[in-house]
Amino acid sequence: MKSPVARTLTILGVFFTMFNFSYTKAAELKVGDAAPLFSAMTHEGKSFELSSQTGHYIVLFFYPKAGTPGCTKQVCAFRDHINKIKELGAEVYGISADSVEDQMNFHKKHNLLFSLLADPDDKIINSFGVKMPLLKIAKRWTFILDENLVIRAIEKDVDPAVDAEKVANIITTLKQKK
């Protein structure tokens, strides 16, 4: 006869298998790692390849769901700070599991001045290790990549209202160290 713990683990295993949840987790990315390369569609329905973005800093900010209050605060903060970030030689991309159409509507509604990337299959979200357990959404994390697509900063404790300002400060500091 199985112990209560063994029975619980068996039941959980069946549950995870039935609903196609995975026990595996991508190795956690660290500062100094090469960013996982990916392809995606922009909010405009255009193809985006991270591998073609060398030569300047890249900001990849992951957010849970287009149109929600925190995500709206975050994209609007980036919109309001985009000139400062671009003056530092960086490009900004927001990523969520939303469809191209949802990203397009979100982009248009808030007059954003940077691209949103659609990841409806969670491939990018999984490769960066930002998928919320059991949910089809990303954690609110921000990655800053250098000109060679090496991760130079990872922000896990993101306040959506000040993320953009914090990113600008981090890039300024990184550039001063060179």
Side-chain angles (χ1 to χ4, degrees):
M1 177 164 243
K2 288 184 177 180
S3 72
V5 172
R7 278 195 306 266
T8 301
L9 291 174
T10 301
I11 291 168
L12 285 173
V14 170
F15 174 78
F16 277 83
T17 302
M18 284 175 49
F19 292 98
N20 199 25
F21 294 132
S22 174
Y23 290 113
T24 60
K25 180 183 171 191
E28 188 166 324
L29 294 172
K30 307 176 296 308
V31 170
D33 288 348
L37 299 180
F38 64 85
S39 301
M41 297 299 285
T42 69
H43 66 277
E44 298 172 307
K46 295 179 181 175
S47 180
F48 173 89
E49 300 284 334
L50 183 61
S51 62
S52 69
Q53 298 299 310
T54 58
H56 54 271
Y57 278 78
I58 300 289
V59 176
L60 301 174
F61 72 93
F62 290 85
Y63 59 94
K65 182 98 177 108
T68 58
C71 298
T72 298
K73 219 180 263 184
Q74 188 174 20
V75 298
C76 290
F78 272 105
R79 178 199 61 209
D80 297 344
H81 286 83
I82 195 67
N83 289 335
K84 181 176 183 179
I85 294 170
K86 285 188 176 213
E87 286 171 8
L88 293 168
E91 293 293 325
V92 173
Y93 299 93
I95 304 171
S96 73
D98 293 294
S99 68
V100 170
E101 182 179 1
D102 289 340
Q103 297 287 48
M104 178 187 66
N105 293 333
F106 194 40
H107 190 277
K108 184 177 179 180
K109 180 176 182 177
H110 298 290
N111 300 310
L112 303 179
L113 304 170
F114 54 87
S115 292
L116 299 179
L117 304 177
D119 186 23
D121 298 327
D122 295 337
K123 289 179 182 174
I124 305 164
I125 290 166
N126 282 321
S127 70
F128 277 80
V130 299
K131 186 171 184 314
M132 289 282 257
L134 307 180
L135 300 173
K136 190 175 169 15
I137 60 174
K139 296 175 186 174
R140 192 180 311 281
W141 285 16
T142 300
F143 292 78
I144 299 173
L145 315 180
D146 70 12
E147 302 93 337
N148 299 309
L149 306 179
V150 173
I151 299 169
R152 293 298 168 206
I154 303 171
E155 293 298 312
K156 297 179 181 180
D157 187 23
V158 174
D159 178 338
V162 298
D163 192 25
E165 186 176 349
K166 192 170 184 179
V167 162
N169 292 335
I170 291 169
I171 294 171
T172 299
T173 301
L174 289 169
K175 291 186 130 203
Q176 289 171 347
K177 288 181 180 178
K178 284 194 166 193

